[in-house]
Amino acid sequence: MIVSIALTDFRSYAAARLDLAEGITVLHGPNGAGKTNGLEAISLLSPGRGLRGATTAELGRREPGEARGRPWAVSAVLAEIDDEVRIGTGVQGAGSSRRIVRIDGEPAPPGRMLDHLRPLWATPEHDRLFAGPRAERLRFFDRLVFAADPDHAAHVAAYEKALKERLRLLTEGAEGRPADPLWLDALEDRLAAAGSRAVLGRAAALTALQSGIDARGDRPFPQASLALSGDAEERGLAGKGDEPALVAFLREGFSRARSRDAAAGRSLFGPHRADLTAIHREKNRPAAEGSSGEQKALVLNLILAQVGRLKDESARPILLLDEAAAHLDANRRAALYDEIEALGLQAVLTGAERDFFATLEGRARFVAVSPDGFVAD
């Protein structure tokens, strides 16, 4: 678990320290106090851009008149079995795009952080997840996938890098400079290899996640029937586990789509076009048609099923819920807190009103948040 986290020139904080409870910590304070900044700092103790999707240059604190953010750092002390681990990340130069990771003082690749911590989060933007943009749903689902399968992040990153390079070649060709067919062949080989692994990882995760949702039974949070739609899924290749057939299908598809993608200026075929869909079982209606409260409850059920799975596999999940109580009625708020406690999770919840967490009095650490820092009640 995280014992404490320290912020240096991060977002609104010149310097701040947050001590966390073994179970639930509640960060409460007025809007703009810096509650989400604290959650974002914890989310950066994993690969990727964190819960806001910000670039490294956006994270540094800026005084009035400063054009670029200052070098920033986030560090944490973790208590593990008979041991203590220190993890840190940040940038060394103002406006730098290169994030550095250190574990016990030694440089480490970002993926190594997942050996010690698996943050999962939901933010207010997820309250309309199923009615929002397709790309946001896929990013949310990919985060769930690589919390359990760290290699998935590398496959998705390799795929997205090759996809950008291919599109650049194609659009340059559309402007009168013919794209090198040999280079395109090589890029599409890489796309098909990385894309097939991403597709298979998503399919395996979907099966496991649906099983976890089904096993949760009759809970205060509605159950969803999940599905993935996309080029490979519609051909029935995603669930078969036949990687050579999937690679061949993707390779042929990218080749056929060259002229269309060049004309459109975007990639219209591939695993990046997949979508996560859900049916609200009780109502037998698409989740996208539900209210913000219903969609949030469905999302929370997905996350709770996943963190339960991670706990069963001896991973180290930590749950981050920004504006945790928003759009939830009193019964579901109480049920959420009870389930987090029953799962034995370390969790950090935020909210403007302390009253929304009244049933956690005596069961959680309450921390008042202000621009000056974090103060335990």
Side-chain angles (χ1 to χ4, degrees), residues 23 61 84 90 197 213 296 327 363:
R61 187 173 66 91
E84 186 176 90
R197 296 188 185 106
I213 291 171
K296 178 166 187 167
H327 298 130
R363 302 158 58 194

Side-chain angles (χ1 to χ4, degrees), residues 47-128:
R49 290 187 170 188
L51 60 80
R52 278 188 173 123
T55 65
T56 53
E58 294 172 320
L59 299 172
R61 187 173 66 91
R62 285 187 296 176
E63 293 285 358
E66 289 183 332
R68 295 190 299 175
R70 299 183 178 191
W72 58 270
V74 173
S75 61
V77 177
L78 275 62
E80 298 188 356
I81 299 173
D82 300 325
D83 199 5
E84 186 176 90
V85 177
R86 296 178 182 271
I87 295 179
T89 188
V91 298
Q92 292 183 326
S96 173
S97 61
R98 182 171 178 267
R99 184 153 73 102
I100 297 169
V101 172
R102 294 186 183 277
I103 298 177
D104 283 335
E106 297 296 326
R112 281 281 310 283
M113 291 189 286
L114 294 174
D115 294 342
H116 303 278
L117 203 62
R118 306 281 180 93
L120 287 172
W121 56 78
T123 70
E125 286 72 24
H126 294 140
D127 292 355
R128 298 288 295 172

Side-chain angles (χ1 to χ4, degrees), residues 106-341:
E106 297 296 326
R112 281 281 310 283
M113 291 189 286
L114 294 174
D115 294 342
H116 303 278
L117 203 62
R118 306 281 180 93
L120 287 172
W121 56 78
T123 70
E125 286 72 24
H126 294 140
D127 292 355
R128 298 288 295 172
L129 180 73
F130 294 105
R134 175 200 56 78
E136 288 299 318
R137 280 190 296 280
L138 190 60
R139 273 194 287 271
F140 170 81
F141 185 66
D142 277 337
R143 167 63 60 171
L144 292 181
V145 175
F146 87 70
D149 175 14
D151 290 339
H152 182 71
H155 300 326
V156 171
Y159 174 84
E160 291 178 346
K161 180 180 179 182
L163 193 71
K164 289 179 182 177
E165 292 179 14
R166 173 181 175 272
L167 186 60
R168 179 174 55 80
L169 278 180
L170 290 173
T171 52
E172 285 178 355
E175 293 170 0
R177 295 185 295 274
D180 184 340
L182 294 179
W183 196 353
L184 279 173
D185 286 344
L187 282 173
E188 288 169 357
D189 285 341
R190 284 162 49 193
L191 274 171
S196 67
R197 296 188 185 106
V199 168
L200 294 174
R202 288 169 183 161
L206 187 79
T207 300
L209 191 55
Q210 186 68 69
S211 177
I213 291 171
D214 295 345
R216 284 171 54 76
D218 184 18
R219 302 293 180 102
F221 298 101
Q223 291 186 308
S225 295
L226 305 176
L228 282 167
S229 63
D231 297 306
E233 289 78 9
E234 290 170 6
R235 290 287 295 268
L237 295 172
K240 292 182 177 179
D242 187 347
E243 187 172 353
L246 185 53
V247 169
F249 168 75
L250 293 176
R251 181 67 183 79
E252 180 185 358
F254 286 121
S255 181
R256 285 190 288 105
R258 288 179 184 179
S259 59
R260 184 178 62 166
D261 290 353
R266 55 197 178 101
S267 301
L268 299 173
F269 171 87
H272 65 287
R273 304 280 299 172
D275 192 9
L276 173 70
T277 62
I279 298 294
H280 188 305
R281 284 187 184 172
E282 184 181 353
K283 295 188 174 182
N284 195 29
R285 302 291 294 175
E289 298 178 3
S291 67
S292 296
E294 287 177 324
Q295 291 189 50
K296 178 166 187 167
L298 286 165
V299 167
L300 288 173
N301 207 7
L302 299 187
I303 292 175
L304 290 170
Q306 182 68 315
V307 294
R309 175 188 171 201
L310 293 176
K311 289 281 290 185
D312 290 344
E313 295 176 1
S314 300
R316 298 175 175 87
I318 178 169
L319 182 60
L320 310 175
L321 298 181
D322 196 17
E323 296 297 336
H327 298 130
L328 296 179
D329 58 35
N331 289 336
R332 279 187 175 156
R333 288 200 300 268
L336 172 64
Y337 309 151
D338 289 345
E339 291 217 31
I340 293 172
E341 195 171 47

